[in-house]
Amino acid sequence: MGKFLEKHDEGVRYIAFGILTVIVSWVSYAILALLGVNYSLANGISWLCAVLFAFFVNKYLVFRSIESNSITLGAELAEFFAARIFTGAVAIILFPILLSIGLDFVFFGVPGLFARGVNSAVEIVLNYILSKFVVFRRKNTT
C-alpha cells in the first residue's frame, strides 16, 4: 500500500482534497440556506466557495505550484475558474446526451443516477487534466 501511495501521491491528494471540496460546497450551502439565503443564491455562493477552496488546495497541496507572484497567481486563478466553468458546461451538455443514449435507467431507486455518476466522472477527469496540464503547468524550480 505504501508503494502505491508513493507512486500515485498526486492522484491520492487530488481525490482527498476533492472530497473536502465537496464538503466545503455542501456545508457552505447548508449554512447559507439555514440563514435564510435564497436557495439559488446559496447554491451559487457555495459553488464559489468550493472553487476558491479547490484552487488553493490544488495549487499548494496537490500540484505544489508554489510560485506566488501576482501575475502567476492571477493567471492560475483565472485559468482555474475558466476550466471549472468549461467542465461545468460540459457536464450540463453531456447529461442529457447520456440520458438519451440509454443511461436514464433507475439505479439505487433514482432515475438517471448512473448517468449522473458517469457525468461526474468525466467532469472529475477533465478537471484533473486541465488543472495539471493547463492551470498549474508552471512549476517553481527553486
Side-chain angles (χ1 to χ4, degrees):
M1 181 74 159
K3 286 188 181 205
F4 175 85
L5 291 176
E6 189 176 309
K7 183 177 180 183
H8 301 288
D9 181 50
E10 184 180 89
V12 170
R13 287 192 317 266
Y14 184 79
I15 291 168
F17 287 112
I19 292 167
L20 288 176
T21 299
V22 169
I23 292 169
V24 166
S25 177
W26 287 18
V27 168
S28 60
Y29 173 81
I31 290 169
L32 291 166
L34 290 172
L35 290 173
V37 174
N38 172 279
Y39 296 155
S40 293
L41 181 58
N43 186 52
I45 293 170
S46 72
W47 178 84
L48 181 63
C49 290
V51 171
L52 285 170
F53 175 81
F55 171 75
F56 286 104
V57 297
N58 277 284
K59 176 175 178 50
Y60 295 109
L61 302 175
V62 175
F63 299 107
R64 297 184 174 147
S65 174
I66 57 174
E67 189 173 338
S68 291
N69 68 61
S70 59
I71 292 172
T72 300
L73 189 63
E76 287 176 341
L77 187 60
E79 290 169 353
F80 192 81
F81 266 89
R84 292 300 166 110
I85 290 168
F86 171 74
T87 59
V90 167
I92 289 168
I93 293 165
L94 181 61
F95 187 66
I97 293 169
L98 293 172
L99 294 177
S100 71
I101 63 169
L103 296 182
D104 60 342
F105 55 88
V106 176
F107 192 67
F108 292 124
V110 180
L113 186 61
F114 187 77
R116 185 67 184 102
V118 170
N119 205 35
S120 293
V122 168
E123 194 172 3
I124 290 165
V125 169
L126 285 175
N127 280 333
Y128 179 80
I129 291 168
L130 289 170
S131 290
K132 181 172 180 68
F133 297 108
V134 176
V135 179
F136 302 115
R137 69 188 176 281
R138 301 168 199 88
K139 293 285 186 179
N140 190 351
T141 57
T142 57

